[in-house]
Amino acid sequence: MINKKLVFSGVQPTGNLHLGNYLGALKNFTSLQKEMECIYCVVDLHAITIFQKPSELSENVFKTVASFLAAGLDPNKSIIFNQSAVSGHSELAWILNCVSRIGWLNRMTQFKDKAGSDKEKEKASVGLYIYPNLMAADILLYKATHVPVGADQKQHLELSRDIAQKFNNDFKCENFFPLPEPLISKNISRIMSLRDGTKKMSKSEESDYSRINLRDSADEINKKIKKAKSDSEPIPDNLKSLEKKPEALNLLNIYSELSKNNLEKTLQDMAGKEYSFLKKKLTEILVNEITPVASEIQKLLDDKSHLKQILINGSEKANIIAEENLKKIRDIVGLL
Ligand code: AQP
């Protein structure tokens, strides 16, 4: 039996959440909780696939959950918890490690990006390599049907579907796992670095000038946008002229998303103007959107026991669903 619609998604506690996480994931999360049952997870087991200092990891879990709430997630509507508090994630990940194929993992571009050159790859953790199997377990543990993610996660989600399908075939339990659908924002699926428009905005990128953090002050936002790469020519009136200008395109994309216009309309309005004009407008709109979120994050971080209680309540609810599904999974696989 295929479940009713259920949303699952996760965010790694690897630092301060940024504009890419906000526009690519959190905004989508909050609108979905109005229409569907949603489970949102701080994926701490994913974070440790790259070494994290223990004291920073726990602090980052709090920062991530505070960002969830500040962006509008409501623990009375959505289940919010940290992954390691529900042991079913690890148990199902092991079972799925035995279903997933090495050839499938070899094709994952994120591993190639994060692990580096062939020589460096040898030193990457095994966890980083099998990360997509854990992601499949996160989703399938709840039999989630929809997964809101940025476009960067599309390939991993396709792998989750392949794993679900192979499990259903191998164990002759047709439709046991639903094949999860990605929910990717159409307009703004990928926010790029402010310093290099060919790389995605990322928490772990060394330069803080590459991203707008959700905790940035108005002054920091202003400085970062001023320094952001753009173009010396005026803003064109068509998309084609932006093909080889990824940084300029990124700024226009972000502005369009925040001003709730499509890119064509932004180009119509801004054609012929200098990028300094766009940057001024973009700073205003970013400050309006981000600084209230930043002060709410700070307020929430001042009461960690409240945040901890939200995680405990969420993990209890998640565990009930996980255990019920795991009982059936153990039975299907033949584990006593
Ligand atoms: N630049 C981005 N544009 C759009 N969406 C993005 N997401 C992340 N970066 C962008 C989406 O945010 C959700 C949570 O991602 P994550 O933090 O779990 O992992 P990530 O994709 O690896 O993000 P980072 O910032 O690059 O983290 P690090 O540097 O630690 O690896 C996902 O839905 C993702 O698509």
Side-chain angles (χ1 to χ4, degrees):
M1 263 282 288
I2 292 293
N3 271 22
K4 59 181 188 300
K5 283 182 180 173
L6 177 66
V7 168
F8 178 94
S9 198
V11 176
Q12 294 189 75
T14 38
N16 285 312
L17 267 58
H18 51 70
L19 190 68
N21 299 128
Y22 183 69
L23 295 178
L26 294 186
K27 284 207 110 181
N28 222 354
F29 291 5
T30 49
S31 61
L32 285 165
Q33 74 178 351
K34 294 181 198 132
E35 327 157 6
M36 294 191 214
E37 210 176 307
C38 296
I39 304 177
Y40 295 120
C41 186
V42 181
V43 287
D44 45 8
L45 297 176
H46 281 280
I48 61 170
T49 55
I50 291 177
F51 182 77
Q52 307 290 321
K53 284 193 190 140
S55 59
E56 281 177 17
L57 177 63
S58 46
E59 191 54 32
N60 283 335
V61 171
F62 285 122
K63 281 189 199 163
T64 307
V65 70
S67 304
F68 279 9
L69 301 178
L73 285 188
D74 176 352
N76 295 314
K77 289 195 183 131
S78 301
I79 298 179
I80 298 171
F81 71 107
N82 57 317
Q83 186 185 26
S84 60
V86 176
S87 59
H89 288 256
S90 307
E91 182 178 345
L92 183 56
W94 182 256
I95 294 173
L96 299 185
N97 280 340
C98 303
V99 174
S100 181
R101 304 289 94 181
I102 290 173
W104 296 354
L105 289 177
N106 282 344
R107 288 196 284 274
M108 295 297 114
T109 53
Q110 181 169 294
F111 176 74
K112 290 178 192 157
D113 293 346
K114 290 202 171 175
S117 65
D118 279 352
K119 202 165 151 227
E120 284 167 350
K121 220 184 286 169
E122 295 290 308
K123 294 189 218 138
S125 75
V126 175
L128 186 65
Y129 183 64
I130 58 173
Y131 173 117
N133 294 344
L134 176 59
M135 179 166 158
D138 299 336
I139 299 164
L140 300 178
L141 184 59
Y142 302 97
K143 296 188 168 189
T145 55
H146 293 81
V147 186
V149 281
D152 55 303
Q153 290 296 332
K154 191 160 175 265
Q155 193 187 34
H156 287 166
L157 203 63
E158 277 158 9
L159 183 84
S160 298
R161 290 168 64 88
D162 289 342
I163 293 173
Q165 184 71 69
K166 183 161 163 54
F167 182 99
N168 292 347
N169 291 346
D170 287 356
F171 294 102
K172 302 192 173 35
C173 50
E174 202 187 342
N175 293 338
F176 176 75
F177 282 132
L179 306 188
E181 297 280 347
L183 294 174
I184 298 176
S185 286
K186 272 192 207 80
N187 302 337
I188 195 95
S189 54
R190 208 167 174 181
I191 303 287
M192 310 312 276
S193 156
L194 301 177
R195 310 295 293 155
D196 176 352
T198 62
K199 286 194 192 149
K200 74 166 185 163
M201 189 176 281
S202 165
K203 297 185 217 93
S204 47
E205 163 62 46
E206 225 170 282
S207 166
D208 202 46
Y209 275 91
S210 67
R211 63 185 160 257
I212 301 291
N213 298 310
L214 295 187
R215 298 180 72 195
D216 280 347
S217 64
D219 192 39
E220 283 165 322
I221 294 173
N222 187 20
K223 277 193 198 134
K224 287 179 179 179
I225 296 297
K226 251 194 195 140
K227 273 205 160 209
K229 273 197 185 171
S230 56
D231 194 33
S232 53
E233 284 174 23
I235 299 172
D237 61 1
N238 64 84
L239 252 172
K240 184 118 186 61
S241 312
L242 288 164
E243 260 170 15
K244 297 213 169 83
K245 300 178 173 172
E247 290 86 11
L249 176 62
N250 189 37
L251 294 179
L252 285 158
N253 256 329
I254 298 172
Y255 181 75
S256 306
E257 180 64 13
L258 291 171
S259 59
K260 299 192 172 62
N261 278 320
N262 59 33
L263 187 55
E264 285 74 14
K265 169 87 174 64
T266 301
L267 288 179
Q268 254 176 36
D269 294 348
M270 300 240 171
K273 297 203 163 71
E274 299 298 325
Y275 279 91
S276 54
F277 177 80
L278 168 69
K279 284 185 171 187
K280 193 165 162 281
K281 292 276 196 199
L282 181 57
T283 302
E284 274 167 25
I285 209 163
L286 273 170
V287 168
N288 277 340
E289 180 94 19
I290 299 299
T291 52
V293 177
S295 59
E296 186 60 21
I297 293 176
Q298 195 47 55
K299 211 159 80 194
L300 287 158
L301 284 174
D302 289 340
D303 186 358
K304 297 241 173 73
S305 59
H306 171 63
L307 294 177
K308 181 97 208 220
Q309 198 52 52
I310 288 176
L311 291 175
I312 292 172
N313 295 349
S315 63
E316 284 170 1
K317 290 186 209 161
N319 203 41
I320 293 172
I321 310 174
E323 271 310 312
E324 197 181 307
N325 288 335
L326 265 176
K327 256 191 218 137
K328 291 184 200 140
I329 294 165
R330 290 185 197 112
D331 198 36
I332 288 171
V333 176
L335 301 168
L336 292 180

